[in-house]
Amino acid sequence: MTNPDEVKEKFCEDPETLINVPKEDKLVNLANSGGEVSTCFQLSVKILEARNLPQTDLLSEADPYVVLQLPTASSATFKTKVVSNSNHPIWNETFSFRIQKQVKNILELKIYDADSVTEDDILFTVFFDTIEVSPGKPTRKTFSLNPQGQEELDVEFQIEEISNSQEKLITNNVLVARELSCLMVQVDKTGSTAAVTEEDELELTVKGSYEDTQISTLGSGMDDSFLFHYITAQEAEMRGCLKSLAVDGGSEGIPDENLTVPLNSLTMGEEVEVNVPAPDATALRLKLKANSCSEEGTVRLGFGLCDEEQVFLKKRKQVVAKALKRVLQLERELQEDEVPVIGVMAIGGGARAMTSLYGHLSALKKLDLLDCVTYISGTSGSTWTLSSLYEDPDWSQQDLEKPINHARENMTKSKLGAFSLGSMKGYQQELRRRAEEGRPPSFVDLWALVLEYLLHGKVTEHKLSEQRASLEKGQNPLPLYLGLNVKENNLGTLDFKEWVEFSPYEIGFLKYGAFIPSELFGSEFFMGQLMKKLPESRICFLEGLWSNIFSVNLMDTWYDLTSSAETWKQHIRNKTRNIEKEPPGSRSTSWINMSWLQPGAAVTQALQGLLTGRPLHHRCHNFLRGLHLHQDYSGQRNFCTWGDCHLDSDPSQLTPLQSQLCLVDAAYFINTSCPLLLRAGRSPDLIFSFGYSLNSPFEALEQMEIYCRGQGIPFPRVELSQEDRRQPRECHVFSDPDCPEAPTVLHFPLVNLSFREYSAPGVKRSPEELAGGQVDLTGFLSPYSLANMTYSGADFDRLLHLSAYNVQNSHSEILRALRAALKHCKRHQP
């Protein structure tokens, strides 16, 4: 039996995950059964009539009919009869759906004009949120199909509770995992009268299931069996047909009728026999048995930190407390609740970011500050440093000379070997193996293999989950890696983006509060359950997607070339908001899509596809697949949306309904890894911000401030004088007395200031050493451009020493910030 405390801890980390539950749903917390029980309802939709429909044919009125679809209730599509030659059709047809009211149910109504010659034209599409219908009484809605015209559609809705119809749900009030059943199908060769050959195929389909359609070539001696996973409460059905294949690839002898079995007619655990019609009045007999899927969900729904991270934090606080006592020369040991959370935030920048981060971390090590850090977050090029360091479980307890020398060796060697015939054959074999495992093909995987050669010169077997060994005793900071999920082919990055966190413990979406163990990333999931486990990818494939700059579209490119920093800031101000602040009722529960009526629609859609398509996009299985959105998801405190992005209020367009993810470099939006540190539960008191931009030393930080302000996340104001902008210093301190919850940020831009004259703090360069202080960060021919992956030994050393010097030269500012962090931590203890 499941422990109630374990269930509560696993699925309800956030104290607000079980609030705002409507009383009429009779939702009961059944912790000892692994979920909550909620009543199902019957939704009746009566299509009444439409008026003043437009004339699409030259010689006659429209021949309209309506198509209904409610994916959260049924995968089937329903349609009314066709009313010929009428702009005022009357249907009066009723359709029924079994719905779960805890789920966001969006009914899609499409009005078509039937055409016997060409493809039917779509006149209008209406989306209706069924939450507007109260149980027990009919609700009539008139949809105005065109604000400029008189076109209208009348529909009547009614919802009634279904007695003795309940299902178990697991929810964090943003996503909902519903109860699954398994349908086992076995071909009964002894009971079949059909004479099948090895050329005959049996095709079985359960729409809306994980498997959808399965085809088996029938042959003597074969054990033909099928398994389908489907939502128990949905009105699913299994369809089957037998196909006899001719030698020329056609089909012969296919009976006109097929097998259809409503799955809700099956009694759980009882075997039934059905017949698939076959030629010559024979039949293929099948044995069916439906069972409840009792497996515990693998996707963790919750916005809190996972258990493993909380255990790590206790251990790490002991290390941090001792380090702070040494560094600040404290008189006594710090208690656990007195230990501040200190994070390192590194941005991207290719090899420049990788080299600079080595310098920054080596400086923190020399100053005995590395043990004061709880988290290290990175994106793009800075993740290359972290993934390499964490191959050693005790890296921060040792001198960093060995990993730095390894990086230097590979950065200064020729890269032609990455494109040799032998290397290309190796890449091909690796990609073929991944395809055989069931992974979607992706150009980004090829980039990952090339990148592995460039950074290491060999195949590395290290995996992300293996970095847990670096955290077992709290001996190292916890590494966090940031990715960005975008739309594959219909929106630019600024119009839709979602933070994705990678850690040795978990990988998940900050927006949805959904996480999986890191070793399962890339495996196949459905409704929160693991369906097909694939071997964990080597970390090089994650490095490839963390620095995936290839999934760009023309819209992103055009905006990047034409926009200024101020344009971006205004764009984000318009697009970020905390939906908590929206007045109730500001969102409409129904909306119309009329793009098909606009002049040149086909040309417009083709142009949009050209601008927003990502020809080289990344592909991987979506672990949110199948999960439904809670009816109140958009009003939850943890779900943050974007002001212009209607997709966030349209659940049918959000990530859980996508079969695959498209992950890109986070710099497509903001070149920062800060969102990981600011996640609820981490609450840093002090952040070391390492910037690696050549031309915009404060841009990412200013963008992060705007983003946080729009989302209601505490963050200090980034206020700069003209002198600071003209000549940045080695270290800038940002804090906000008006926002005491905000952390202090120490920002270290990539600047070459006093390093020109000093080889170490207080050590002036001799005339012979002045050349070592000339680091070209801004010149047209700077060796540190983003595209350059090969440095000379001297260029690597200059950048490494410059980064280390800038931290060491700011030692006094760092110590003051650490003392302030102690006070900040004490002020914010509960």
Side-chain angles (χ1 to χ4, degrees):
M1 179 174 291
T2 306
N3 186 306
D5 294 331
E6 291 179 356
V7 173
K8 181 178 180 181
E9 186 173 0
K10 182 171 185 63
F11 297 113
C12 303
E13 290 88 346
D14 187 83
E16 296 187 17
T17 55
L18 295 179
I19 62 172
N20 299 329
V21 178
K23 294 180 181 179
E24 66 266 26
D25 282 16
K26 300 182 179 179
L27 190 64
V28 182
N29 183 8
L30 297 181
N32 60 353
S33 65
E36 306 158 359
V37 169
S38 182
T39 303
C40 295
F41 289 76
Q42 192 76 17
L43 170 68
S44 298
V45 182
K46 187 173 185 179
I47 307 298
L48 300 174
E49 61 180 309
R51 293 177 293 279
N52 304 312
L53 295 181
Q55 181 176 337
T56 58
D57 299 327
L58 295 176
L59 303 178
S60 66
E61 301 289 346
D63 303 315
Y65 63 95
V66 180
V67 171
L68 303 86
Q69 192 166 16
L70 184 54
T72 51
S74 172
S75 58
T77 299
F78 304 92
K79 60 180 291 187
T80 66
K81 64 178 181 289
V82 177
V83 179
S84 300
N85 196 26
S86 173
N87 68 350
H88 187 173
I90 299 176
W91 291 286
N92 288 327
E93 294 185 50
T94 301
F95 303 87
S96 295
F97 302 89
R98 176 183 289 191
I99 66 172
Q100 172 53 251
K101 285 202 68 184
Q102 291 303 310
V103 167
K104 195 73 167 177
N105 297 292
I106 303 296
L107 176 67
E108 180 181 293
L109 303 172
K110 289 185 177 180
I111 303 180
Y112 284 84
D113 176 17
D115 197 312
S116 58
V117 179
T118 63
E119 185 177 351
D120 294 353
D121 298 317
I122 299 179
L123 300 181
F124 304 98
T125 301
V126 176
F127 297 96
F128 177 70
D129 189 347
T130 62
I131 193 65
E132 190 172 326
V133 183
S134 300
K137 58 181 180 181
T139 300
R140 180 165 175 152
K141 291 284 295 184
T142 297
F143 299 102
S144 297
L145 302 178
N146 188 346
Q148 285 74 39
Q150 301 298 316
E151 298 94 333
E152 293 178 331
L153 173 66
D154 289 345
V155 183
E156 185 177 276
F157 301 93
Q158 187 162 355
I159 287 182
E160 299 290 343
E161 181 180 326
I162 303 175
S163 59
N164 301 320
S165 178
Q166 296 179 328
E167 64 173 323
K168 294 179 183 178
L169 306 176
I170 295 174
T171 180
N172 62 357
N173 276 9
V174 171
L175 292 178
V176 178
R178 303 180 67 179
E179 192 174 356
L180 288 182
S181 291
C182 303
L183 175 67
M184 292 179 285
V185 183
Q186 181 73 41
V187 177
D188 181 7
K189 290 186 171 64
T190 60
S192 299
T193 58
V196 297
T197 69
E198 293 185 359
E199 295 180 345
D200 294 336
E201 287 185 346
L202 174 62
E203 179 179 292
L204 298 180
T205 299
V206 178
K207 287 295 183 183
S209 68
Y210 162 71
E211 293 81 4
D212 191 78
T213 299
Q214 299 186 65
I215 300 176
S216 175
T217 302
L218 302 173
S220 58
M222 295 181 62
D223 182 22
D224 299 303
S225 59
F226 304 80
L227 183 65
F228 292 93
H229 296 81
Y230 64 96
I231 299 174
T232 306
Q234 278 196 343
E235 297 176 324
E237 60 183 20
M238 186 194 78
R239 294 179 178 270
C241 66
L242 183 64
K243 296 182 177 180
S244 299
L245 304 180
V247 177
D248 60 1
S251 57
E252 296 178 353
I254 301 176
D256 294 334
E257 68 275 9
N258 295 325
L259 169 69
T260 300
V261 180
L263 298 186
N264 58 9
S265 67
L266 302 178
T267 301
M268 289 291 172
E270 293 186 8
E271 185 176 271
V272 299
E273 296 181 350
V274 296
N275 293 325
V276 182
D280 302 323
T282 60
L284 183 68
R285 179 164 294 180
L286 305 179
K287 294 181 178 179
L288 310 182
K289 181 187 286 187
N291 290 305
S292 176
C293 289
S294 57
E295 294 88 352
E296 185 175 317
T298 313
V299 177
R300 181 178 72 87
L301 297 183
F303 290 91
L305 304 180
C306 66
D307 293 343
E308 294 87 348
E309 182 171 342
Q310 295 186 42
V311 171
F312 160 81
L313 287 175
K314 288 183 175 294
K315 296 178 180 178
R316 185 61 182 175
K317 283 190 174 184
Q318 297 175 11
V319 176
V320 173
K322 293 178 181 178
L324 287 173
K325 183 182 179 182
R326 291 194 310 269
V327 171
L328 299 179
Q329 299 180 356
L330 302 177
E331 295 180 354
R332 64 174 180 85
E333 297 281 350
L334 294 173
Q335 300 301 309
E336 182 176 316
D337 60 356
E338 297 176 311
V339 179
V341 175
I342 300 169
V344 166
M345 186 277 291
I347 73 170
R352 180 177 67 246
M354 179 191 73
T355 307
S356 299
L357 183 54
Y358 273 120
H360 284 137
L361 294 178
S362 66
L364 292 178
K365 176 64 178 176
K366 289 177 181 178
L367 296 174
D368 196 20
L369 296 173
L370 203 47
D371 280 347
C372 300
V373 176
T374 304
Y375 295 100
I376 298 181
S377 66
T379 184
S380 193
S382 61
T383 65
W384 306 345
T385 300
L386 298 181
S387 61
S388 180
L389 286 174
Y390 278 86
E391 290 186 29
D392 181 353
D394 296 304
W395 72 268
S396 69
Q397 306 305 309
Q398 303 172 7
D399 188 273
L400 300 188
E401 183 177 353
K402 182 178 178 180
I404 289 175
N405 287 339
H406 174 77
R408 187 182 191 276
E409 177 185 350
N410 286 281
M411 277 300 300
T412 56
K413 71 181 183 183
S414 170
K415 303 301 190 293
L416 294 179
F419 307 100
S420 67
L421 182 60
S423 295
M424 297 305 291
K425 287 183 177 178
Y427 303 157
Q428 185 180 29
Q429 293 173 357
E430 179 84 358
L431 296 176
R432 184 184 299 117
R433 181 186 62 80
R434 289 175 64 80
E436 291 171 352
E437 290 175 350
R439 304 180 194 272
S442 173
F443 173 82
V444 179
D445 286 346
L446 175 60
W447 156 242
L449 294 172
V450 173
L451 182 63
E452 179 183 45
Y453 185 95
L454 299 179
L455 298 178
H456 303 286
K458 62 179 182 179
V459 173
T460 58
E461 298 297 335
H462 188 60
K463 300 178 178 65
L464 179 60
S465 66
E466 294 173 353
Q467 294 183 5
R468 294 170 186 166
S470 304
L471 309 171
E472 287 179 348
K473 297 175 290 185
Q475 69 269 38
N476 299 296
L478 175 62
L480 302 170
Y481 309 86
L482 182 63
L484 197 67
N485 182 56
V486 298
K487 284 292 183 182
E488 176 183 318
N489 55 15
N490 62 350
L491 283 174
T493 303
L494 287 180
D495 293 312
F496 184 85
K497 58 272 171 186
E498 298 171 334
W499 303 121
V500 183
E501 175 184 299
F502 295 77
S503 87
Y505 298 129
E506 287 189 321
I507 295 172
F509 283 85
L510 306 188
K511 174 178 176 177
Y512 301 106
F515 300 85
I516 58 171
S518 57
E519 64 269 24
L520 297 181
F521 180 72
S523 295
E524 296 186 43
F525 291 79
F526 182 70
M527 194 54 73
Q529 294 192 19
L530 178 64
M531 294 288 120
K532 180 181 180 182
K533 183 178 180 180
L534 301 182
E536 183 180 2
S537 293
R538 296 186 290 113
I539 201 167
C540 74
F541 292 101
L542 298 182
E543 290 176 319
L545 66 88
W546 294 331
S547 54
N548 172 19
I549 59 174
F550 298 99
S551 298
V552 69
N553 58 31
L554 292 180
M555 186 70 75
D556 293 336
T557 304
W558 174 255
Y559 191 87
D560 186 56
L561 292 174
T562 59
S563 65
S564 65
E566 285 304 316
T567 305
W568 191 100
K569 291 177 185 178
Q570 189 57 47
H571 183 86
I572 299 306
R573 287 190 187 100
N574 293 338
K575 294 194 174 197
T576 56
R577 60 178 166 82
N578 189 327
I579 57 175
E580 229 180 24
K581 299 176 181 178
E582 263 199 1
S586 60
R587 295 182 183 206
S588 173
T589 56
S590 62
W591 59 99
I592 314 296
N593 189 333
M594 299 179 295
S595 60
W596 295 274
L597 293 181
Q598 297 173 359
V603 176
T604 301
Q605 291 179 2
L607 179 60
Q608 181 183 4
L610 176 66
L611 292 175
T612 61
R614 302 178 189 271
L616 301 177
H617 66 273
H618 167 262
R619 296 186 182 97
C620 71
H621 296 300
N622 179 15
F623 57 87
L624 300 187
R625 181 186 166 195
L627 291 168
H628 290 165
L629 283 127
H630 192 275
Q631 64 171 347
D632 296 323
Y633 76 94
S634 61
Q636 298 308 308
R637 173 174 57 86
N638 293 295
F639 183 88
C640 292
T641 185
W642 302 93
D644 71 320
C645 189
H646 297 298
L647 295 192
D648 282 341
S649 56
D650 180 2
S652 63
Q653 295 294 317
L654 290 178
T655 300
L657 271 77
Q658 307 298 316
S659 61
Q660 296 178 352
L661 303 177
C662 181
L663 298 173
V664 300
D665 191 322
Y668 271 66
F669 176 42
I670 305 178
N671 189 14
T672 182
S673 57
C674 206
L676 302 177
L677 298 178
L678 300 177
R679 179 181 158 192
R682 294 190 175 131
S683 304
D685 300 285
L686 174 63
I687 295 175
F688 293 114
S689 170
F690 294 138
Y692 306 127
S693 172
L694 290 180
N695 302 312
S696 307
F698 302 103
E699 181 181 61
L701 204 62
E702 290 179 300
Q703 291 173 347
M704 195 63 210
E705 181 203 348
I706 296 169
Y707 166 79
C708 289
R709 202 165 301 283
Q711 301 289 9
I713 300 173
F715 197 79
R717 291 190 176 276
V718 182
E719 297 176 338
L720 296 158
S721 66
Q722 290 301 319
E723 179 62 24
D724 287 337
R725 293 187 183 278
R726 187 186 65 81
Q727 179 54 73
R729 303 187 303 276
E730 287 95 345
C731 178
H732 294 258
V733 182
F734 300 102
S735 59
D736 193 345
D738 296 331
C739 183
E741 299 84 6
T744 297
V745 175
L746 290 188
H747 183 59
F748 297 83
L750 192 58
V751 296
N752 186 16
L753 195 56
S754 60
F755 182 70
R756 299 171 185 171
E757 299 179 7
Y758 293 86
S759 59
V763 181
K764 201 169 181 66
R765 294 183 183 275
S766 66
E768 296 77 20
E769 295 174 325
L770 288 176
Q774 303 306 307
V775 187
D776 184 4
L777 298 176
T778 58
F780 178 72
L781 299 178
S782 170
Y784 308 114
S785 65
L786 185 63
N788 187 21
M789 290 291 292
T790 304
Y791 292 172
S792 69
D795 288 334
F796 182 93
D797 293 341
R798 287 191 188 99
L799 185 57
L800 180 80
H801 295 153
L802 169 68
S803 303
Y805 170 87
N806 285 351
V807 170
Q808 290 173 302
N809 196 48
S810 307
H811 191 197
S812 58
E813 286 90 341
I814 294 174
L815 293 180
R816 281 195 293 270
L818 290 175
R819 293 188 179 95
L822 285 175
K823 297 178 181 178
H824 186 274
C825 177
K826 292 179 181 179
R827 286 199 304 267
H828 294 90
Q829 288 303 319

